[in-house]
Amino acid sequence: MDLVHAATGSTTNPNCTNFIAHAVENVGGKGISIGLAFFFSNLLHQLLKPLSQPRIASDIVVGLVLGNISLIRHAFDEQFISTLNFIAEFGMMCYMFVLGMEMDPYVIFKGPSRNAMVAYSGMLSTIVLVSSVIPFVHYPKHPSIGFGLSLSVTLSGSSSHILTRLMTSLKIGRISFFPPTVTVTDVAARIKSTVTMAAALLLQIIFTVTASPIFMNWVNNENPEGKPMKGSHLVLSIAFMAFVCSGAPIYGYSPILSAFVAGIFLPSEGRVSKWAVGKINYLLPTIFYPVFFLWMGLHANVRRFEAGEWRTWGRFFLLVFITIFGKVIGTVICGIMLGFHGRESAELGFLLTAKGHFHVFLAVYASLLDITTTSTSISFIIVIFLSVVHTPIVVSQIIKRARKRAPTQRMALQWLDPSNELRILLCIHGVHNVPSTINFMEISQGASDPGILVYLTDMVELTDQIASTLVQERMDTVTVTDTDVTEMRDQISTTVQAFVEENGDGITLRRMLALSTFNCMAKDICNLAEDLLISLIILPFHKNRCANGTLDGGNPGFRYVNRKVLRNAPCSVGILVDRGYGLVEKISKSERTFQVAVIFFGGKDDREALAYAGRVARHPGVKLTVIRFLLDSDSETALRRAGNYRINAAEQEEEMKLDDECFAQFYERQIAGGRVSYSEKHVANSAETYATLRSLEGQYGLIIVGRGGRVNSILTIGMNDWQQCPELGPIGDVLSGSDSSHTTSVLIIQQHSLRGELDGVDDEFSIM
């Protein structure tokens, strides 16, 4: 049955003249109604934002209210509603197409994790519960096995990708059309039709899998990042996507599910795919959803809701119980069997009950095809609403518990599992930072397994000139078309990628861009580090090396960014002072020719520097020396100086214990085997410390040191008084000062500070 015929009861289509006449008739009422849907949808969403309610909740309320106002219902005649039917179906095709593109089609072939097993158990328990009670409750007008199967999968699923894929495989919306009894001729005809649809769908999948990568790669290569896409290529891309979605529907398969299947097997990476997903995701909430939920409200006529029938309420509360508690029962039972806490399993079950836009469409669609009554469809819609309004409460409880457990989440090198790859956010200002960047990746790569994941990030100040060249490609993504920026990024990418391909065994490179004003750049970098689960941020020093080896005055904007990142970073931070590090053409992998030293006074930052040095020591071309500064306890001067400062004895004793444990482990792993050299410097005060540090000039190509974090160290007391750059710490400032060696580079590391709460999760958390 055609969707239009089901909505209008007509078997003839109006000609063009009649269609225009019907469309123009009462156009004011139609326009005002749709405008009210847009206005109140956004207004209610903003009002519910403090409660973190998802947008679908406010949209359902607005759609049901507006769609049942008499003046609005009278403004929409049947033939215009049939037009809305087409709009709803086309919008749902776009929705399902994007849903498919954002999914991994091969995830269902992977072995289920413990979390997935809990989710599957909730789905299975719901299916069993629905199958047990549906035969005794008359939800459809004509009960059938097909409807029971469709309803089971619909209620057991959620607005997640894997469960929606299962709906597609069962072809919900088509199965329920089968009548309870058919003749032998009908059976043969339906078998033939099913085989034809299956063959068409299979050919569509094969063509999409084989042809789309070739076409998409060609368009992506012709339109590199940072340059506007050619109009002809955009038209071809849209036409190609429409073509791959239209094969199976010609032979009777659902166009909505065909679009979903095509989206699954189209490449999700690449500029064309990201452009399509971004544009559709922008248009859906902006234009489609208000119209879609107004369409829902027009079909969900509450005057036809049989509120006086006890069976209506019985079916409604049974739906609520099955949808919400049916899944929780399964997740709790399976979770306990697998060793999960009952509370965590129940919370997962409550989250998985959430339904989405496709479920709303199915509820209305079943009523349009006269499969269910209006009362049943309205009950479905209300149950969908109830399945999402509780999600913010569940999420907030998870957040509170996560905050209490936050102290165990230490984003620092010292606590990083050696079997996990090291994630580094490596920031650069421009092309002049590339040589030192390459050398840093070279000595940091360690073993190829697990290797390191480097997010090479360009720090670009957002000026008025650059802002005028930005092109909005997605709702949350813009492309820079400024020639200077794009050429700089292309040059950096080409050089670094060439190094990774030739020498970067174990290095995985990703390119990022931090484009913002200096006031906001530090926040963007910290957010990026948090989202990417970074363990170490490397920032270039704000001063650059001149031809004679000295450092220039630097950029105060980048200095402000560095200091702000040090205060707010969700992980450890390093500042690299390049004083010749980038001049090293190539670090040998066969001879230990590159001299590196790590200076250890004590404290958490020095322990973090030692942890990083342990990775550097694995490089075959690096000769690492550990220099430990110790207090000369026999010196009367040291004892006298100690008496002049307040020292927390208990705190200092605890820190010294941690230092000794950390150094003992490093000594056993690295120094005892002869791979790393070791020397001790016994000094009595900060003056001797300064003199010893100056004596190291020119001996090493790179010196690694902690920024601070020492407990009243007598060896550095007073050195803060003459610091030029406090963000480098007293030791880093001395080693990188204007009167220090012009050939020794310095890496200053600060360990991530634990704050007793989950960094990055604030009181304005929203699930949207």
Side-chain angles (χ1 to χ4, degrees):
M1 181 183 294
D2 189 86
L3 183 61
V4 179
H5 297 165
T8 64
S10 174
T11 57
T12 60
N13 292 322
N15 57 35
C16 183
T17 304
N18 291 336
F19 174 78
I20 295 175
H22 281 290
V24 173
E25 183 182 358
N26 200 13
V27 67
K30 298 181 179 71
I32 293 174
S33 300
I34 295 176
L36 289 174
F38 279 89
F39 174 76
F40 285 110
S41 176
N42 288 284
L43 176 63
L44 186 58
H45 177 60
Q46 295 298 324
L47 293 176
L48 293 179
K49 260 191 174 181
L51 301 177
S52 299
Q53 284 295 325
R55 188 180 188 104
I56 188 175
S58 57
D59 285 343
I60 289 177
V61 172
V62 171
L64 284 176
V65 173
L66 290 181
N68 284 278
I69 295 176
S70 298
L71 291 176
I72 292 179
R73 294 189 67 86
H74 292 156
F76 291 88
D77 55 82
E78 289 187 353
Q79 291 183 335
F80 193 82
I81 290 178
S82 69
T83 303
L84 290 181
N85 292 338
F86 283 119
I87 294 174
E89 189 169 8
F90 177 76
M92 193 52 56
M93 289 172 59
C94 297
Y95 171 83
M96 296 297 286
F97 177 73
V98 170
L99 189 65
M101 289 194 70
E102 293 178 334
M103 293 168 56
D104 180 6
Y106 304 105
V107 69
I108 57 176
F109 299 109
K110 299 177 182 178
S113 62
R114 294 172 69 239
N115 293 335
M117 292 176 65
V118 174
Y120 293 151
S121 66
M123 180 179 177
L124 181 61
S125 66
T126 307
I127 292 176
V128 172
L129 193 58
V130 173
S131 302
S132 302
V133 300
I134 283 301
F136 307 100
V137 183
H138 298 289
Y139 283 106
K141 291 183 177 180
H142 306 288
S144 66
I145 297 176
F147 180 84
L149 180 60
S150 298
L151 185 61
S152 299
V153 178
T154 302
L155 293 183
S156 65
S158 64
S159 55
S160 65
H161 297 164
I162 297 177
L163 300 182
T164 307
R165 185 184 296 116
L166 180 58
M167 293 181 190
T168 302
S169 65
L170 294 176
K171 295 188 294 183
I172 296 177
R174 291 289 181 180
I175 290 179
S176 56
F177 299 162
F178 295 170
T181 57
V182 291
T183 63
V184 176
T185 305
D186 288 337
V187 171
R190 293 189 182 281
I191 292 176
K192 180 179 179 181
S193 174
T194 302
V195 171
T196 303
M197 284 192 297
L201 184 63
L202 180 61
L203 289 175
Q204 174 185 334
I205 293 174
I206 294 174
F207 177 81
T208 305
V209 171
T210 56
S212 58
I214 300 174
F215 175 81
M216 294 292 196
N217 289 336
W218 172 72
V219 176
N220 290 330
N221 292 334
E222 291 292 321
N223 299 272
E225 291 283 353
K227 296 182 180 179
M229 289 191 66
K230 300 176 182 177
S232 58
H233 290 166
L234 282 179
V235 173
L236 286 174
S237 300
I238 296 173
F240 179 81
M241 292 177 184
F243 177 74
V244 297
C245 293
S246 61
I250 296 176
Y251 296 93
Y253 191 76
S254 168
I256 295 176
L257 300 182
S258 177
F260 175 62
V261 172
I264 288 178
F265 293 100
L266 276 169
S268 58
E269 298 296 328
R271 190 175 182 189
V272 176
S273 299
K274 293 178 180 178
W275 174 85
V277 170
K279 290 298 183 184
I280 295 176
N281 278 337
Y282 175 76
L283 293 174
L284 286 176
T286 306
I287 297 177
F288 173 65
Y289 288 160
V291 177
F292 173 75
F293 285 99
L294 177 62
W295 167 82
M296 174 207 71
L298 291 172
H299 286 293
N301 189 351
V302 295
R303 294 176 180 82
R304 297 174 61 183
F305 184 75
E306 300 169 343
E309 293 285 338
W310 68 268
R311 293 184 181 87
T312 301
W313 294 107
R315 293 168 187 157
F316 170 73
F317 287 111
L318 184 60
L319 277 176
V320 173
F321 176 80
I322 293 175
T323 302
I324 297 180
F325 294 101
K327 186 163 291 186
V328 174
I329 293 172
T331 55
V332 170
I333 293 175
C334 183
I336 293 175
M337 293 174 61
L338 293 176
F340 288 92
H341 292 291
R343 180 178 179 180
E344 293 178 350
S345 301
E347 288 173 341
L348 177 61
F350 277 114
L351 287 179
L352 291 177
T353 61
K355 301 294 186 284
H357 300 80
F358 186 54
H359 299 90
V360 175
F361 179 80
L362 289 179
V364 178
Y365 198 65
S367 176
L368 287 177
L369 296 175
D370 204 32
I371 297 172
T372 61
T373 63
T374 302
S375 295
T376 302
S377 293
I378 293 175
S379 298
F380 278 127
I381 293 171
I382 296 175
V383 169
I384 292 170
F385 172 79
L386 295 177
S387 72
V388 297
V389 293
H390 66 271
T391 52
I393 301 175
V394 178
V395 172
S396 64
Q397 293 300 317
I398 296 174
I399 293 297
K400 290 179 181 178
R401 193 164 62 255
R403 280 178 170 156
K404 295 178 181 178
R405 299 179 181 179
T408 62
Q409 306 297 322
R410 301 181 177 182
M411 298 302 294
L413 301 180
Q414 186 180 356
W415 314 112
L416 182 66
D417 187 347
S419 62
N420 294 337
E421 66 180 357
L422 172 61
R423 291 171 170 254
I424 301 176
L425 188 67
L426 185 51
C427 301
I428 57 177
H429 296 160
V431 178
H432 59 279
N433 295 135
V434 171
S436 59
T437 296
I438 290 176
N439 286 332
F440 177 84
M441 289 193 295
E442 172 67 43
I443 68 171
S444 304
Q445 59 183 317
S448 58
D449 186 19
I452 61 174
L453 176 57
V454 178
Y455 291 92
L456 187 60
T457 306
D458 301 294
M459 300 170 64
V460 179
E461 181 189 8
L462 180 60
T463 62
D464 292 339
Q465 178 182 349
I466 295 178
S468 64
T469 66
L470 299 181
V471 177
Q472 181 98 26
E473 290 205 348
R474 288 189 286 174
M475 188 164 52
D476 56 347
T477 303
V478 295
T479 298
V480 184
T481 59
D482 183 82
T483 305
D484 293 338
V485 176
T486 55
E487 289 181 354
M488 177 197 73
R489 299 199 73 211
D490 289 343
Q491 186 177 349
I492 293 172
S493 299
T494 302
T495 306
V496 178
Q497 190 62 47
F499 159 75
V500 172
E501 293 176 357
E502 182 179 355
N503 304 293
D505 186 24
I507 299 178
T508 303
L509 182 67
R510 298 283 187 271
R511 291 287 278 123
M512 308 297 290
L513 174 63
L515 175 65
S516 55
T517 62
F518 285 135
N519 286 332
C520 301
M521 188 176 293
K523 182 179 179 181
D524 292 343
I525 291 174
C526 292
N527 290 340
L528 197 61
E530 184 178 13
D531 294 340
L532 300 175
L533 301 178
I534 298 298
S535 296
L536 178 63
I537 300 174
I538 298 296
L539 302 167
F541 192 40
H542 69 280
K543 296 181 179 181
N544 299 315
R545 185 180 185 277
C546 302
N548 60 1
T550 61
L551 298 176
D552 61 17
N555 188 322
F558 285 124
R559 183 184 187 186
Y560 171 79
V561 172
N562 289 357
R563 299 175 76 168
K564 201 170 181 180
V565 170
L566 286 169
R567 281 198 305 271
N568 303 296
C571 60
S572 296
V573 182
I575 296 181
L576 180 60
V577 182
D578 181 11
R579 305 200 70 171
Y581 189 35
L583 299 179
V584 181
E585 293 185 359
K586 188 174 183 180
I587 299 176
S588 173
K589 290 189 177 182
S590 57
E591 299 181 11
R592 298 170 63 187
T593 56
F594 189 65
Q595 300 284 338
V596 179
V598 56
I599 296 177
F600 189 87
F601 284 86
K604 62 184 184 67
D605 291 350
D606 282 6
R607 294 194 292 269
E608 188 75 351
L610 198 64
Y612 173 73
R615 291 181 171 269
V616 174
R618 301 174 190 170
H619 194 285
V622 172
K623 181 175 177 57
L624 179 67
T625 301
V626 178
I627 305 173
R628 187 173 190 182
F629 281 69
L630 298 171
L631 177 64
D632 188 355
S633 58
D634 296 333
S635 172
E636 293 184 3
T637 305
L639 295 175
R640 186 169 59 254
R641 289 289 299 274
N644 295 333
Y645 291 88
R646 295 180 180 179
I647 297 177
N648 188 325
E651 186 179 0
Q652 186 177 43
E653 183 177 352
E654 180 64 25
E655 280 293 309
M656 291 177 64
K657 181 180 178 181
L658 294 175
D659 291 340
D660 292 339
E661 290 177 356
C662 176
F663 202 88
Q665 293 178 1
F666 185 88
Y667 191 97
E668 182 180 352
R669 295 174 183 173
Q670 306 288 352
I671 300 175
R675 177 69 191 174
V676 176
S677 302
Y678 174 64
S679 67
E680 293 181 353
K681 303 292 184 181
H682 293 267
V683 293
N685 49 50
S686 57
E688 292 186 12
T689 299
Y690 179 82
T692 305
L693 291 174
R694 293 298 300 270
S695 68
L696 301 177
E697 293 181 2
Q699 298 183 34
Y700 304 97
L702 176 67
I703 295 180
I704 306 169
V705 65
R707 177 172 178 258
R710 307 173 184 92
V711 182
N712 293 323
S713 176
I714 299 172
L715 305 183
T716 58
I717 286 175
M719 295 179 66
N720 295 338
D721 298 340
W722 62 76
Q723 285 186 99
Q724 297 177 357
C725 298
E727 65 268 26
L728 302 181
I731 308 303
D733 186 76
V734 170
L735 294 173
S736 58
S738 58
D739 55 348
S740 299
S741 172
H742 295 171
T743 59
T744 300
S745 300
V746 186
L747 176 63
I748 301 95
I749 295 181
Q750 171 186 278
Q751 188 179 72
H752 175 223
S753 298
L754 301 178
R755 302 178 182 176
E757 62 180 14
L758 190 62
D759 289 330
V761 179
D762 53 33
D763 295 332
E764 297 178 354
F765 173 78
S766 171
I767 64 172
M768 295 303 290

